[in-house]
Amino acid sequence: MTMTAGRETLVDGEFAFTQADFRHIASALHSHAGIALHEGKAALVYSRLAKRLRTLGLRNFAEYIALVESPEGKEERQAMTAALTTNVTRFYREPHHFDHLRDVVMPQLAARARAGGRVRLWSAACSNGQEPYSMALTVLEKLPEANDLDVRILATDIDPNMVVEGRDGIYSDELLAPVPASGRRHFNPVS
Ligand SMILES: C[S@@+](CC[C@H](N)C(=O)[O-])C[C@H]1O[C@@H](n2cnc3c(N)ncnc32)[C@H](O)[C@@H]1O
């Protein structure tokens, strides 16, 4: 059997998803967000974007690709990026990072801040904020007066929905479970 290059079906589902479709999506994601996808992720890409096709009422991936590659596709490029990134996070995820921040990094930074110096920390892919808030709580353990000093934490994420959630900073009791009582007092209860 002969096949035209790129027309091989990668995922057999409700919508045909070929190697060429995958390459277009991967290229659009790379241009928009700098994220590289390899073909081993085809099933994941398919399952997450099939939902977008259904939501948008599109008939096939060709229509979806035409949209994300068009100048009018800005909003969908954003939605595609959100759909293809994984936002898993939790308070004090990878606890040894926070142990290191508290025990190794913070003593020097606290001394610098107390001497009037600048301290800047950055959670570069912050998801919905649990990481930067964990950083803030760790900073406060060693520097309770941080609010009065030149100490700032920047939190950014490529997924704007995550940035909105992080800015809201509203977390369920279940999510807050890893935060000790001494840290929880920094969160106001929401009714
Ligand atoms: C697995 S989560 C990790 C969140 C957090 N750093 C933690 O460890 O708990 C990965 C996050 O990285 C974000 N992300 C992926 N690529 C990014 C990029 N190029 N710039 C900024 N954020 C990015 C995703 O949107 C997602 O929220």
Side-chain angles (χ1 to χ4, degrees), residues 35 37 41 44 48 80-89 93 125-128 157-159 162:
I35 297 173
L37 280 179
K41 297 277 187 191
L44 180 139
R48 294 192 179 178
M80 177 186 76
T81 304
L84 294 178
T85 48
T86 300
N87 304 121
V88 63
T89 188
R93 179 168 177 255
C126 65
S127 188
N128 69 1
D157 197 281
I158 204 157
D159 182 343
M162 291 299 105

Short mmCIF file of all heavy atoms in Angstrom, two decimals, residues 35 37 41 44 48 80-89 93 125-128 157-159 162:
data_model
loop_
_atom_site.label_atom_id
_atom_site.label_comp_id
_atom_site.label_asym_id
_atom_site.label_seq_id
_atom_site.Cartn_x
_atom_site.Cartn_y
_atom_site.Cartn_z
N ILE A 35 7.09 25.79 22.72
CA ILE A 35 7.04 24.43 23.29
C ILE A 35 7.25 23.41 22.16
O ILE A 35 6.57 23.49 21.12
CB ILE A 35 5.69 24.18 24.00
CG1 ILE A 35 5.55 25.15 25.18
CG2 ILE A 35 5.55 22.74 24.45
CD1 ILE A 35 4.18 25.11 25.85
N LEU A 37 7.02 19.64 20.71
CA LEU A 37 6.25 18.39 20.91
C LEU A 37 6.85 17.31 20.04
O LEU A 37 7.14 17.56 18.86
CB LEU A 37 4.82 18.58 20.41
CG LEU A 37 3.79 19.29 21.28
CD1 LEU A 37 2.47 19.35 20.50
CD2 LEU A 37 3.59 18.55 22.58
N LYS A 41 3.69 12.20 21.53
CA LYS A 41 2.60 12.90 22.24
C LYS A 41 1.33 12.97 21.39
O LYS A 41 0.38 13.67 21.76
CB LYS A 41 3.03 14.34 22.58
CG LYS A 41 4.21 14.43 23.51
CD LYS A 41 3.76 14.29 24.95
CE LYS A 41 4.91 14.55 25.91
NZ LYS A 41 4.61 14.18 27.27
N LEU A 44 -2.02 12.24 23.08
CA LEU A 44 -2.39 13.30 24.03
C LEU A 44 -2.89 14.54 23.28
O LEU A 44 -3.92 15.13 23.62
CB LEU A 44 -1.18 13.65 24.89
CG LEU A 44 -1.37 14.73 25.93
CD1 LEU A 44 -0.66 14.35 27.23
CD2 LEU A 44 -0.80 16.07 25.46
N ARG A 48 -6.75 16.01 23.63
CA ARG A 48 -7.02 17.35 24.16
C ARG A 48 -7.62 18.27 23.10
O ARG A 48 -8.48 19.09 23.40
CB ARG A 48 -5.75 17.94 24.74
CG ARG A 48 -5.32 17.15 25.97
CD ARG A 48 -4.25 17.85 26.73
NE ARG A 48 -3.86 17.09 27.91
CZ ARG A 48 -2.91 17.48 28.73
NH1 ARG A 48 -2.27 18.61 28.51
NH2 ARG A 48 -2.60 16.75 29.78
N MET A 80 -5.42 26.64 22.51
CA MET A 80 -4.67 25.42 22.15
C MET A 80 -3.48 25.25 23.11
O MET A 80 -3.22 24.14 23.59
CB MET A 80 -4.17 25.54 20.71
CG MET A 80 -3.32 24.38 20.26
SD MET A 80 -2.61 24.66 18.62
CE MET A 80 -1.31 25.83 18.99
N THR A 81 -2.79 26.34 23.38
CA THR A 81 -1.64 26.27 24.29
C THR A 81 -2.10 25.81 25.67
O THR A 81 -1.48 24.95 26.30
CB THR A 81 -0.94 27.65 24.37
OG1 THR A 81 -0.58 28.04 23.05
CG2 THR A 81 0.30 27.60 25.24
N ALA A 82 -3.22 26.39 26.13
CA ALA A 82 -3.74 25.99 27.45
C ALA A 82 -4.11 24.51 27.44
O ALA A 82 -3.84 23.78 28.40
CB ALA A 82 -4.96 26.85 27.81
N ALA A 83 -4.71 24.05 26.32
CA ALA A 83 -5.13 22.65 26.25
C ALA A 83 -3.93 21.70 26.22
O ALA A 83 -4.00 20.58 26.73
CB ALA A 83 -5.99 22.44 25.01
N LEU A 84 -2.82 22.15 25.65
CA LEU A 84 -1.68 21.23 25.47
C LEU A 84 -0.64 21.32 26.58
O LEU A 84 0.33 20.56 26.58
CB LEU A 84 -1.02 21.49 24.11
CG LEU A 84 -1.90 21.15 22.90
CD1 LEU A 84 -1.19 21.48 21.60
CD2 LEU A 84 -2.29 19.67 22.91
N THR A 85 -0.82 22.24 27.51
CA THR A 85 0.12 22.28 28.63
C THR A 85 -0.51 21.55 29.81
O THR A 85 -1.73 21.43 29.90
CB THR A 85 0.49 23.72 29.03
OG1 THR A 85 -0.70 24.49 29.13
CG2 THR A 85 1.41 24.36 28.03
N THR A 86 0.33 21.07 30.70
CA THR A 86 -0.14 20.33 31.86
C THR A 86 0.11 21.21 33.07
O THR A 86 1.24 21.62 33.31
CB THR A 86 0.63 19.00 31.96
OG1 THR A 86 0.35 18.28 30.76
CG2 THR A 86 0.18 18.17 33.15
N ASN A 87 -0.96 21.50 33.80
CA ASN A 87 -0.85 22.49 34.87
C ASN A 87 -0.70 21.86 36.25
O ASN A 87 -0.92 22.53 37.26
CB ASN A 87 -2.09 23.41 34.86
CG ASN A 87 -2.29 24.07 33.52
OD1 ASN A 87 -3.32 23.91 32.89
ND2 ASN A 87 -1.30 24.82 33.07
N VAL A 88 -0.32 20.59 36.30
CA VAL A 88 -0.25 19.93 37.62
C VAL A 88 0.67 20.70 38.57
O VAL A 88 1.76 21.13 38.21
CB VAL A 88 0.19 18.45 37.47
CG1 VAL A 88 1.58 18.34 36.89
CG2 VAL A 88 0.13 17.72 38.80
N THR A 89 0.15 20.92 39.76
CA THR A 89 0.91 21.66 40.77
C THR A 89 0.32 21.35 42.12
O THR A 89 -0.76 20.78 42.21
CB THR A 89 0.84 23.19 40.50
OG1 THR A 89 1.74 23.87 41.38
CG2 THR A 89 -0.56 23.76 40.68
N ARG A 93 5.07 21.33 46.17
CA ARG A 93 5.40 20.22 45.27
C ARG A 93 6.93 20.16 45.20
O ARG A 93 7.57 21.20 45.16
CB ARG A 93 4.79 20.52 43.89
CG ARG A 93 5.05 19.50 42.85
CD ARG A 93 4.17 19.76 41.64
NE ARG A 93 4.46 18.84 40.59
CZ ARG A 93 5.14 19.16 39.48
NH1 ARG A 93 5.57 20.39 39.29
NH2 ARG A 93 5.37 18.25 38.56
N ALA A 125 7.03 29.32 35.74
CA ALA A 125 5.90 28.56 35.17
C ALA A 125 5.02 28.18 36.37
O ALA A 125 5.04 27.07 36.86
CB ALA A 125 6.40 27.33 34.45
N CYS A 126 4.27 29.18 36.84
CA CYS A 126 3.70 29.13 38.20
C CYS A 126 2.40 28.36 38.30
O CYS A 126 1.85 28.22 39.39
CB CYS A 126 3.49 30.54 38.73
SG CYS A 126 2.24 31.47 37.78
N SER A 127 1.86 27.89 37.16
CA SER A 127 0.55 27.24 37.14
C SER A 127 -0.45 28.15 37.89
O SER A 127 -0.44 29.36 37.69
CB SER A 127 0.63 25.83 37.72
OG SER A 127 -0.60 25.15 37.52
N ASN A 128 -1.27 27.60 38.79
CA ASN A 128 -2.31 28.44 39.41
C ASN A 128 -1.86 29.10 40.71
O ASN A 128 -2.68 29.50 41.52
CB ASN A 128 -3.60 27.64 39.62
CG ASN A 128 -3.44 26.57 40.69
OD1 ASN A 128 -2.37 26.43 41.28
ND2 ASN A 128 -4.47 25.81 40.93
N ASP A 157 3.11 32.55 33.89
CA ASP A 157 2.79 31.26 33.25
C ASP A 157 2.32 31.56 31.84
O ASP A 157 1.70 32.61 31.59
CB ASP A 157 1.71 30.50 34.02
CG ASP A 157 1.67 29.04 33.63
OD1 ASP A 157 1.10 28.69 32.57
OD2 ASP A 157 2.24 28.21 34.37
N ILE A 158 2.59 30.64 30.95
CA ILE A 158 2.19 30.85 29.56
C ILE A 158 0.68 30.72 29.39
O ILE A 158 0.11 31.21 28.43
CB ILE A 158 2.94 29.85 28.64
CG1 ILE A 158 2.99 30.40 27.23
CG2 ILE A 158 2.34 28.47 28.68
CD1 ILE A 158 4.11 29.83 26.43
N ASP A 159 0.03 30.07 30.35
CA ASP A 159 -1.42 29.85 30.28
C ASP A 159 -2.12 30.97 31.06
O ASP A 159 -2.09 31.00 32.29
CB ASP A 159 -1.74 28.47 30.88
CG ASP A 159 -3.21 28.13 30.79
OD1 ASP A 159 -4.03 29.05 30.57
OD2 ASP A 159 -3.54 26.95 30.96
N MET A 162 -4.27 30.23 34.08
CA MET A 162 -3.56 29.90 35.33
C MET A 162 -3.15 31.18 36.06
O MET A 162 -3.23 31.26 37.29
CB MET A 162 -2.31 29.06 35.04
CG MET A 162 -2.60 27.66 34.56
SD MET A 162 -3.53 26.71 35.80
CE MET A 162 -5.16 26.70 35.10
#
